[in-house]
Amino acid sequence: MTLYCTSEDVINFTQITPVKLGIDTKKEPNKLETIITKWIQHASSLIDQYTKNPKKENEIPPVYENVCIRITAHMIAAAETYKNTSLVRINDWTVRTVPTEIFSQAEKDDLETFVIETVNKRNSTINMITISGDGYFEGNDKFKWD
């Protein structure tokens, strides 16, 4: 499977740091990139499943890269939200969190021109032409002369 963006793209976009995800870089120096690369795989898979139009590494359209970065950023935001859900404010009962929708309608709209529709083969019609004598029959028994 082709990855539609890099961990560096996502880190630059989100400004995520190992500390924000609770990663000790002394013990695990590459863990942030490993986690983000895994999320990029998930994002790329979501794009492929939605569009039914996977791309090869040398033909990635910019919109695939952009949507992949944004989906991965949503995953990072969700991870941070889940980590920090114990926020309580005195006399304020309104709770607001970052939306946890990973693959939003905005990303789907951006990919719409790349979606390949599947054809329902059970309800397809077949046109038949019958050649007979000096003319021919074309659908619904309409006789045509040449």
Side-chain angles (χ1 to χ4, degrees):
M1 173 180 54
T2 303
L3 301 182
Y4 296 129
C5 65
T6 66
S7 58
E8 184 179 341
D9 294 332
V10 174
I11 291 169
N12 288 336
F13 182 76
T14 62
Q15 295 300 300
I16 189 68
T17 63
V19 172
K20 287 182 182 177
L21 289 180
I23 298 170
D24 183 354
T25 55
K26 291 180 182 177
K27 292 180 182 177
E28 302 171 289
N30 298 321
K31 187 169 183 177
L32 179 64
E33 288 80 9
T34 301
I35 291 170
I36 291 175
T37 300
K38 185 175 182 177
W39 288 339
I40 290 169
Q41 289 173 340
H42 294 255
S44 298
S45 178
L46 286 170
I47 291 168
D48 288 347
Q49 288 174 10
Y50 179 73
T51 63
K52 296 173 189 64
N53 189 6
K55 300 296 182 185
K56 294 180 182 165
E57 194 169 320
N58 60 346
E59 59 182 27
I60 300 171
V63 69
Y64 273 51
E65 180 181 9
N66 180 276
V67 169
C68 186
I69 291 168
R70 289 168 32 213
I71 291 172
T72 308
H74 294 316
M75 292 178 190
I76 291 169
E80 286 189 87
T81 299
Y82 292 139
K83 184 178 66 116
N84 298 316
T85 56
S86 60
L87 178 65
V88 176
R89 292 185 183 160
I90 299 173
N91 296 329
D92 183 4
W93 300 103
T94 304
V95 176
R96 295 182 192 191
T97 59
V98 175
T100 57
E101 187 176 17
I102 299 298
F103 193 10
S104 72
Q105 190 61 47
E107 283 85 29
K108 291 176 183 176
D109 289 345
D110 288 347
L111 292 170
E112 195 59 38
T113 58
F114 295 95
V115 173
I116 295 177
E117 296 293 328
T118 57
V119 177
N120 185 350
K121 294 179 182 175
R122 290 185 180 193
N123 294 329
S124 297
T125 59
I126 299 174
N127 293 325
M128 300 186 95
I129 298 174
T130 305
I131 300 175
S132 170
D134 294 334
Y136 61 92
F137 288 98
E138 180 182 69
N140 297 334
D141 298 327
K142 295 177 186 173
F143 191 75
K144 292 190 175 184
W145 292 95
D146 287 334

